[in-house]
Structure formats: C-alpha cells, structure tokens
Amino acid sequence: MWWGGRGQSFNIAPQKEEPEMGLSGPKSVEGTGMPEPRSRQLGSCLASGGLPGEQILAWAPGVRKGLEPEMPGTLICSNLRVTFQPCGWQRSQETPLSSEYDFSLANIGRLEAVNGPSRVQLLRPGSLLKFIPEEILIHGQDFRLLRVGFEAGGLEPQAFQVTMAIIQARAQNSPTQQYAGITLSKAGQSSDSRKPPIPLLETTEDWETERKKQAARGWRVSTVNERFDVATSLPRYFWVPKRTLDSEVRRAFGHFHQGRGPRLSWHHPGGSDLLRCGGFYTASDPNKEDIRAVESMLQAGHSDVVLVDTMDELPNLADVQLAHLRLRALCLPDSSVAEDKWLSALEGTRWLDYTRSCLRKASDVSVLVTSRVRSVVLQERGDRDFNGLLSSLVQLLSAPEARTLLGFQSLVQREWVAAGHPFLTRLGGSGSSEEAPVFLLFLDCVWQLLQQFPAEFEFSEFFLLALHDSVRVPDTLTFLRDTPWERGKQGGQFNNYTQVYTSGYSQPLAGNSINPQLSVWDWNLRYSNKQILQFRNPGYDPEHCPDSWLPRQQPSFMVPGPPSSMWLFSRGALTPLNQLCPWRDSPSLLAVSSRWLPRPAISSESLADQEWGLPSHWGACPLPPGLLLPGCLGPQIRLWRRCYLRGRPEVQMGLSAPTISGLQEELSHLQELLRKWTPRISPEDHCKEKNPNTILSQSR
C-alpha cells in the first residue's frame, strides 16, 4: 500500500520456545539460525505490534533501495508477511498492519535474488537459492516493489537465511491463512455489540433499511434463501417484487443458472428498476405457472422491459486475466520494453480497451434506466462478475448518493460482496484456472470517472488505492471467500443450519474463525486517522450531495415505456422480442447466443439522443440531473499511474497530491529538480530569469 504508520517499538529477546510474535512482542528461539540482536540500534529496528499467532522466521539488516535517500533498516520474514522495518521507525499497535512496509505472503507476485550486475535468480515457492544475494526484489501483485540490499561484513549468512525463509514461507502459505486475532486490539472482547462502519447486509433489517432509502415501494425483502437452500452464492436476503410469493420465487429461481434468478439491484427515483440475474437454464421444463412467475419478476410491474446481454462487447474472464498479466509485466521497473515503444506496448495489453468497453456499456445502460420508466434486466450466465461491474457503474453514473464515501462502500458491499462475487477465485487465491481480476478492472473504471468528473465524487484516488490494495491483505473475510455462505460459515453464523448443495456450488474452506462483523471497511485496522482523512476528495462539490438530487417522484424527463414492449439490448441497439422466456412455443432471442444474432445497424445518433427522441437539429441531448456520461475516446481513457507505476518512484513525482501540504512538498521537489537541470547562465542574463517563487506569488 502507500503509507507508513507511527507508534511503539519492541525488542526481540531469545526464548526456548516457538518464535511467536504476539501482542506482547516477538520472540526468537535457539537453533533457528536467527541471531540475537547485537546492539541497541539493531534491536530498535525490529518491529513491534506483532499479530497473535505470528512467528518470526528470519531477519537481516539491509537498505531499502529505489528511494532517495536510501533507507537503512531490517528485513523481517514471518509466517504471515514480509516487513521492512526502517531504523528509527516505530509501529503503532493501533494499526498493526503497516500499509507501506508490509507485504502479505499472498501479495508477493515475484521474488528475485541478485548478486552482481548479471547474476539474477527468479525464486519460486520451493526453490533453492544458489548464491548469497547482495539484494532481493519483492514484486507485489498490487504493483508495489520492495528492493532491499544487504550489508556486507560478516552478515551474508543472514541475507541467505531471510531469503530462504521467504521462499519457504511462500511455499507453506495458504491463500486463506488469516491474520488470527488481529481484531482483538481494535474491537475488543465486546466486538459482538460493535456496529460495523457500513451495513454488511447480513440481516433483514439491513436490507429493509436500504430498500426504504431507495424508496423501492414495489419491492420487499425475501427470506426464501435464509438457509442458503436456493443458492449458496446468493445472499440470505434480497429484493423481489412485492406481489411475488416466496414459493413462486423458489420455483422461478430454479430455472436460472445456479439458482440466481431476477432480483432488484437498484431502484431509480424516477421509477425505473435495475435488475440482475443469471442465464436461463434452458434444459428445465417449467410449467405455465413457473413461466408466468418468471415473466412477472422480469417485468417487475413495468410495461416496458429491456433485457441486456451483459457480456456482449465485453471481454471474457480469460481476456481480463491476460490483459492484467501483460500490464503488470509492462509496469515492472526492469521491463525490457524500450521507452519509445512503451505506449504502443501499453495499448497492446488491451487493459485500457477493456476499461473503455465497460464504461461505454455502463453509459448505455444508464441511459436505458434514466430515459424511460421501465425494467432493465442485466443477464450474465453466472451473474457474479460483469453483472456486478455494470450494475455498480450504472449506479455511479446515475446516483450521486453512490459517489459519496459511505454510499460507494455500501454499493461495493451490496453488488460485489453480498451478491457473491468469487473474490478468492478471481484473485488467484484458490488455485483455480478461473483467475481474472474483474473487481480491479471495476476500480480502474471508477478511477477514470474520478478523473473526468473530479467534483462529483466525495472519495479520493487514495481511497481507491487503499481498496485496490486491500484485496491482497488477508485480514478480514471480505475478499477471502467466494460466497456469502462461506463467509457466514467461517464466522460461525450458520452452524445450526443444514445446507442443501447442488452441482457447481462452492464448498466451504477450512480455516480459523474470525469475527464476521469485521470487514475491509474497518480502515483503522491498517490506516491512521491522518491517512483516513486523505480518503476524502478535497475537490468534492457539496452541491452534488444526494439532498440536492432528484425528487422522489417521476421527473419530467422520464416518460412511460410503450405498452407491453419487450426489448433485447445488444451490440449498442435495441431489438424487439416476442417473448421474455425461452420455454414457450417459439424460441426466444435471448436463448440464442448473441454472436448468432444479426448485428443491427448502428445509428449515428447516440443512444441518449435515440432514447429521448430529440430531433437531430436540436444538438446534443441535455442530460437529466445527476446523470454522468463519461468520454470514452482514445485519450480520455488514461493509465492509472499512481497505482500501476508504484514500482517506479521517479514516475510518481509530479502527480497531483491530495492535500495542500502534499502539493507544497511536490512543488519544492520540482523546484529542486529545476535548479539541478537548469544550465548555468551568464550574469548579464541573470536579470532576465524569474524566480519560480516570484511567479507563484504574482499569480496569486
């Protein structure tokens, strides 16, 4: 991550038992090969605020390189993380995970040992180190880089030992390994009564409160999946049409892939509803009552229904994974790509293309939701990846409330965590071949919106960075499980329930129990109050707050849809449908793969112009209040440099700082560079030069 903390320090003392680092400090053991501290200075370099159950495996003095100036300290390897402890730096027990100096073992993407200018060994889990390293490079999967050089003078064995310890710890580390007991110092023993920072949507009360907040009067909270016997990948509770019985919901959901039937994601204050569901299970044979229930749930009381083919013109999971791997390889400090070919190589990764495709599709769906009172249904076969991405982006584009700090966290909790996005699998923690960082692609899309509409978002780029990095820190269950049932089972919530499994559902994972109320949104586990203050965007305009948004009634810009109209939105155009379900006498278009559908002629008008029906001579369509439509042309989609180029400190300077003091520091740095790079001038020309400080003072 990107900050360090401050607090207390402790020393390591030799013990004759297992080297455990608990709340009282770390311990060492005889026969482990880890030498005792030889001086008071070295002892002060070692970490404090260890985590319960954490064991120090090895350590070695070193110097962190790649920074100006270089930073002396100690490299420490434990069974949970690798830490670089700067000399004189003290760790706070209030934030036991340093957001800058710690690398969780699950976050290490590549480990390299270097000896001399040409001797480099790539160290995989289980490898054998062939030489004593002069320095090691730890490449994080979050694009961070830790480069540590080791001191000479009889300390070479320690450098070898700490490097081998990292190799062995990575080999023995499980992606589901917890930071056990991390919550005790924060939440205390009375954590059961502790209120989470945002509703975690684990109770009917949470869902009912959220429904009332959206004023979704035509919907109710269903408890049909309370025991996860409809689908283990769905939350225990969700919203269904008010007039639909739970018995009908159960039967209808059985005709969708993995039991993920249509349910409400978001109710637009103008009257439209955004739904999401899995693909139709066409091999089933529903009766007329079931078909009627499915159609009723898809229509949601509206006469105009649009089925959105979510995956049309979006990348598949393999595409996303390949693009992310290429991007990470390109952004490494030792990338072999020449500087004059770097931009073309960036284009070749396709990462920015996929970001552009997601934003363009979300813009179109936002227009569908906003332009007419209708039911818009996002349909993806699994309903666990791009449905969440599109639904979240649509709400960010259409609802100012979702752009607040609290609203965005609630959005991610509802559309990703509670909705069953398989975080563990997609982020590579389960060893599955289905790895694909869809959630990180979503965060990149949000960053693009933040750049194009900086006054519309209450949260800052640094909040997005913190969330981006948190997926690699195994301190809570938020990103360590694939389904809500797995999180609940791990936390001991459902011990009295008898589960019903069906083919293809995720199975529970082993591990120690963790307080289920602690989540990634407990930022003070890893960040100080000063750091958390930087989560807020100083350029946010309070005039864009939800209170000044649309009234809770149908605004004038929305018109009722045509009576009994059914549409398929695919390839940028609306195609009429004869029916919603594929089980009637004539086949439904939606039952056929989209690639077999004839491609409609794309109009030169934007979808917004088509939907609002404005004559072409009127010019661009005036956007309704609260709606954002981002630009998706080539230069409008940019590289998230502060995230992806963190391994290159020289690139970071000059990026916009989040505070006035940060801007002053960057200005001083740039002025110093200007003085170094400016050639010497003759005395007679000196009077022609202007002091940068004078220019700034005059501009004020």
Side-chain angles (χ1 to χ4, degrees):
M1 299 175 194
W2 32 271
W3 288 307
R6 297 186 179 181
Q8 307 176 14
S9 64
F10 67 75
N11 296 327
I12 291 185
Q15 301 287 335
K16 293 191 177 185
E17 51 194 42
E18 194 67 11
E20 179 174 330
M21 185 167 68
L23 290 177
S24 60
K27 306 171 185 177
S28 63
V29 63
E30 295 180 356
T32 62
M34 187 184 73
E36 298 179 16
R38 297 173 302 164
S39 69
R40 184 175 302 175
Q41 178 183 7
L42 182 57
S44 65
C45 291
L46 298 179
S48 74
L51 305 171
E54 186 169 15
Q55 300 173 352
I56 290 182
L57 306 178
W59 56 267
V63 176
R64 184 171 183 177
K65 298 186 175 182
L67 303 175
E68 292 186 6
E70 294 182 343
M71 183 184 300
T74 304
L75 184 67
I76 304 172
C77 175
S78 77
N79 60 322
L80 298 178
R81 55 182 166 175
V82 176
T83 296
F84 182 80
Q85 183 74 45
C87 289
W89 179 81
Q90 297 177 329
R91 181 188 300 274
S92 171
Q93 290 189 349
E94 294 183 354
T95 54
L97 295 180
S98 165
S99 53
E100 180 177 359
Y101 299 121
D102 289 341
F103 276 69
S104 68
L105 295 176
N107 183 35
I108 299 177
R110 193 170 84 173
L111 177 65
E112 294 175 315
V114 180
N115 188 306
S118 59
R119 197 173 186 185
V120 180
Q121 182 181 355
L122 178 62
L123 302 173
R124 296 182 174 86
S127 297
L128 180 63
L129 183 59
K130 299 178 180 178
F131 52 82
I132 295 179
E134 293 180 356
E135 67 178 56
I136 63 171
L137 286 82
I138 301 175
H139 300 271
Q141 297 192 58
D142 57 3
F143 294 87
R144 286 189 298 149
L145 172 65
L146 179 60
R147 180 185 173 194
V148 178
F150 298 109
E151 300 176 359
L155 297 178
E156 292 87 352
Q158 289 181 256
F160 185 89
Q161 290 165 6
V162 74
T163 305
M164 284 301 303
I166 296 174
I167 297 173
Q168 295 170 3
R170 291 183 66 199
Q172 298 170 3
N173 177 64
S174 168
T176 61
Q177 189 173 7
Q178 316 286 317
Y179 280 164
I182 188 176
T183 65
L184 296 180
S185 61
K186 263 306 185 185
Q189 298 292 345
S190 60
S191 58
D192 290 340
S193 60
R194 178 177 172 274
K195 186 177 180 181
I198 65 166
L200 300 182
L201 299 177
E202 295 174 348
T203 65
T204 54
E205 291 78 11
D206 288 348
W207 286 91
E208 182 63 20
T209 300
E210 183 65 24
R211 185 195 66 82
K212 291 180 178 178
K213 186 185 301 183
Q214 296 187 18
R217 298 182 181 87
W219 299 82
R220 66 176 180 86
V221 179
S222 173
T223 60
V224 69
N225 195 44
E226 191 168 28
R227 295 178 178 268
F228 293 98
D229 51 354
V230 172
T232 56
S233 64
L234 285 176
R236 300 173 69 189
Y237 313 105
F238 44 78
W239 298 313
V240 297
K242 204 168 188 177
R243 297 184 178 181
T244 305
L245 302 177
D246 276 353
S247 58
E248 296 175 316
V249 173
R250 183 182 296 274
R251 293 198 308 269
F253 275 41
H255 301 297
F256 289 83
H257 183 66
Q258 291 193 353
R260 297 181 66 89
R263 60 210 183 278
L264 179 67
S265 281
W266 176 59
H267 175 76
H268 191 282
S272 289
D273 291 309
L274 180 66
L275 287 70
R276 58 185 291 182
C277 67
F280 289 122
Y281 184 44
T282 55
S284 64
D285 185 21
N287 55 36
K288 293 182 179 180
E289 288 74 16
D290 291 351
I291 293 178
R292 193 178 302 115
V294 170
E295 291 179 338
S296 175
M297 296 183 71
L298 292 173
Q299 291 175 343
H302 297 279
S303 58
D304 188 19
V305 184
V306 178
L307 297 174
V308 178
D309 184 358
T310 295
M311 293 308 299
D312 176 63
E313 297 186 320
L314 290 186
N316 57 38
L317 295 177
D319 293 335
V320 174
Q321 173 66 359
L322 180 59
H324 193 260
L325 290 175
R326 289 174 174 172
L327 178 67
R328 196 163 63 195
L330 179 65
C331 294
L332 289 175
D334 57 352
S335 175
S336 60
V337 179
E339 186 175 353
D340 58 342
K341 297 181 179 179
W342 201 89
L343 291 179
S344 60
L346 174 61
E347 183 179 356
T349 65
R350 302 295 307 279
W351 182 260
L352 297 184
D353 288 338
Y354 298 153
T355 304
R356 181 180 296 107
S357 299
C358 293
L359 288 173
R360 183 182 293 117
K361 183 115 185 189
S363 299
D364 287 344
V365 177
S366 299
V367 171
L368 292 174
V369 172
T370 310
S371 59
R372 283 172 168 77
V373 179
R374 54 170 45 129
S375 171
V376 179
V377 185
L378 303 177
Q379 187 163 42
E380 177 192 18
R381 184 177 185 273
D383 181 38
R384 300 177 67 183
D385 293 294
F386 287 93
N387 265 4
L389 183 146
L390 273 187
S391 176
S392 300
L393 289 179
V394 168
Q395 294 177 58
L396 284 171
L397 293 175
S398 308
E401 183 176 342
R403 302 170 209 151
T404 64
L405 187 56
L406 180 62
F408 182 76
Q409 294 177 94
S410 299
L411 173 68
V412 173
Q413 182 70 25
R414 185 177 69 251
E415 298 298 332
W416 293 87
V417 182
H421 177 68
F423 284 105
L424 188 64
T425 297
R426 295 293 181 258
L427 296 172
S430 64
S432 170
S433 60
E434 298 179 350
E435 181 179 352
V438 180
F439 183 68
L440 303 185
L441 178 63
F442 163 69
L443 293 183
D444 196 314
C445 293
V446 178
W447 180 83
Q448 303 290 341
L449 296 178
L450 189 59
Q451 302 310 298
Q452 295 193 29
F453 307 99
E456 301 283 348
F457 291 84
E458 185 183 20
F459 53 87
S460 68
E461 176 185 16
F462 292 97
F463 170 77
L464 293 180
L465 274 173
L467 187 55
H468 177 279
D469 295 347
S470 295
V471 303
R472 305 292 185 185
V473 180
D475 58 344
T476 67
L477 291 178
T478 305
F479 301 127
L480 280 177
R481 295 294 181 264
D482 281 344
T483 66
W485 176 74
E486 289 175 359
R487 293 185 192 92
K489 188 69 174 178
Q490 185 70 30
Q493 289 179 297
F494 317 127
N495 291 336
N496 297 326
Y497 288 165
T498 301
Q499 305 301 330
V500 178
Y501 298 100
T502 56
S503 177
Y505 285 173
S506 300
Q507 299 297 317
L509 300 175
N512 297 325
S513 177
I514 281 185
N515 186 340
Q517 288 189 341
L518 282 155
S519 68
V520 67
W521 316 120
D522 292 280
W523 295 112
N524 52 8
L525 288 175
R526 294 185 299 281
Y527 298 97
S528 66
N529 292 333
K530 181 179 179 181
Q531 296 164 346
I532 294 175
L533 287 176
Q534 295 191 37
F535 285 1
R536 297 189 177 273
N537 174 18
Y540 176 63
D541 187 353
E543 294 297 324
H544 298 154
C545 65
D547 293 340
S548 63
W549 191 36
L550 301 172
R552 293 294 186 178
Q553 58 195 24
Q554 181 176 321
S556 59
F557 66 87
M558 300 186 73
V559 297
S564 302
S565 58
M566 297 172 290
W567 307 89
L568 172 68
F569 181 74
S570 179
R571 308 190 181 189
L574 290 169
T575 303
L577 287 174
N578 295 325
Q579 59 194 45
L580 289 175
C581 300
W583 303 291
R584 292 189 179 274
D585 296 337
S586 58
S588 169
L589 280 177
L590 202 61
V592 186
S593 176
S594 62
R595 68 175 183 269
W596 301 111
L597 295 174
R599 186 178 181 89
I602 303 299
S603 171
S604 60
E605 295 178 308
S606 69
L607 180 62
D609 291 334
Q610 297 178 52
E611 279 294 287
W612 275 289
L614 297 178
S616 58
H617 64 271
W618 279 21
C621 171
L623 296 182
L627 179 63
L628 306 178
L629 292 183
C632 297
L633 298 178
Q636 294 173 302
I637 303 299
R638 298 185 289 168
L639 177 70
W640 190 1
R641 291 197 298 161
R642 197 184 289 274
C643 179
Y644 303 139
L645 297 179
R646 279 183 287 180
R648 300 183 176 185
E650 72 279 2
V651 180
Q652 296 299 310
M653 295 309 299
L655 299 180
S656 297
T659 62
I660 299 299
S661 60
L663 286 172
Q664 291 174 341
E665 290 178 4
E666 290 194 359
L667 176 60
S668 300
H669 176 80
L670 293 173
Q671 289 174 342
E672 179 64 24
L673 290 178
L674 184 62
R675 284 190 289 271
K676 290 180 180 180
W677 294 343
T678 301
R680 298 191 176 208
I681 56 177
S682 59
E684 58 270 16
D685 293 334
H686 183 75
C687 59
K688 301 179 182 179
E689 297 295 323
K690 291 187 177 181
N691 190 320
N693 292 321
T694 305
I695 297 175
L696 287 175
S697 62
Q698 291 175 352
S699 64
R700 294 173 185 168

